Amino acid sequence: MFEPHSLILGFVVALGVGLLIGIDRERKKGEGPGRGAAGLRTFTLASLAGATAAAAGGDFLLAATVLGVAAFAGLSYWHARDSDPGLTTETALVATTLLGGLAVREPGFAAGVGVMVAVLLNARVALHRFVRSMLTDGEMHDLLIFAAATLIVLPLLPDHPIGPYGALNLRTIWLVVILVMGVGALGYIAVRIVGPRFGLPLAGLASGFISSSATIGAMGARAAREPQLLKPAAAGAALSSVATVVQLGLLIGATDLEALKALALPLLFAGATAVVYGGAFILWALRQDRGRVEETAGSAFSLRTALVFAAILAAVLLLAAALQDWMGEAGVILAAGAAGFADTHAPAISVASLVAEGRLAPPAAVIPVLAAFSTNTITKMVFAFSAGGPRFALYVVPGQLLMLAAAWAALLIA
């Protein structure tokens, strides 16, 4: 039995959902003989009918009510199929009836879903324009890959330790792959939305979510080809390190929150230093002739890069587990530092995974992660010298050293 107060709340939510969706449909139904069949009153009544059916007769009566509404929606579609071949309003009417029934049992959830339905209905023009005019075939391909990785592969993977030393959790490793692709795609989308007019600084920040080392190399090569873009390129290189710190925090936090809490101060210090250093270069660079910055092209993310990242992560997990078994915590530091020359994130996540599995105390994760951060900084400085030359490195390297010093200095305060 439903309590009176829960029934009242459910019917209020059902009323609100019906009104919210009905207002959108009323605005789009048109006028005159060719107007749509369902508007504000129809959607509100459908939602209240679903709530009444769920309260009075349970699942059986709700199912009968939904079938009845679906039948009327089908007749409406049949009548208007020549002038309006779409099924949006009819589908929304059935969904509204179901949401009315759901509101009696789960009012909060029904309210949230109702708002999402209303947003989708109201954003029709923007969504159609985005899909037809802005979304490229390559981006659609990337979206399907991301959806398959998230919705198909991830649920099939086992969620328990396997392999030597029980060091590997396939679901955790694949979740990191998804996060790497997702964060890279966010950077790509940022450039697509804002456009190229903000120049190399924004491109560097967005690209840093994929690889800060590679971004510094690319910015150095750009500065070497076009010396007039030296300052904007240096700003992009500096801001790529901001992305590194942000991504590092996101990935460690997704792996283990206790490890993130232990590393919060070093990451905050390093990130703030990168923001200040990069911001100074942005103010300097925005007064320069930014030149032409190419539109974002290619893929939103690299699946190959993500898979290589997963392989590195698995190897580092195995190595760290073996060295910890042989040498204790000193082995973890050694393994993380060696892996940091190639990438900061993989060893950091490996260390956080050890914390999540209870193999390492959260405070003990700080030194290995900073060791990886340090060796990766060496790689970035080498890239700056080799790709951009001494002058580019003169702008970029001090920022990298200041970030590193700030991260280690945080240990003295903690």
Side-chain angles (χ1 to χ4, degrees), residues 52-87:
T52 303
D59 294 339
F60 179 79
L61 186 55
L62 176 61
T65 303
V66 171
L67 287 175
V69 172
F72 283 119
L75 289 173
S76 173
Y77 171 75
W78 181 264
H79 178 72
R81 68 188 185 280
D82 294 331
S83 59
D84 181 15
L87 278 168

Side-chain angles (χ1 to χ4, degrees), residues 176 180 208 210-214 216 240-241 243-249 251-252 263 267 270 309 312-313 316 335-352 365-380 400 403-404 407:
V176 171
V180 170
I210 301 172
S211 172
S212 179
S213 299
I216 289 174
S240 72
S241 295
T244 294
V245 175
V246 171
Q247 189 178 25
L248 197 60
L251 295 175
I252 292 175
L263 284 155
L267 291 178
F309 188 92
I312 294 174
L313 174 59
V316 170
F341 282 106
D343 182 80
T344 310
H345 303 97
I349 296 168
S350 303
V351 173
V366 177
I367 298 298
V369 172
L370 290 184
F373 192 75
S374 302
T375 53
N376 191 252
T377 299
I378 296 174
T379 300
K380 292 179 181 180
Q400 298 298 314
M403 278 184 63
L404 187 60

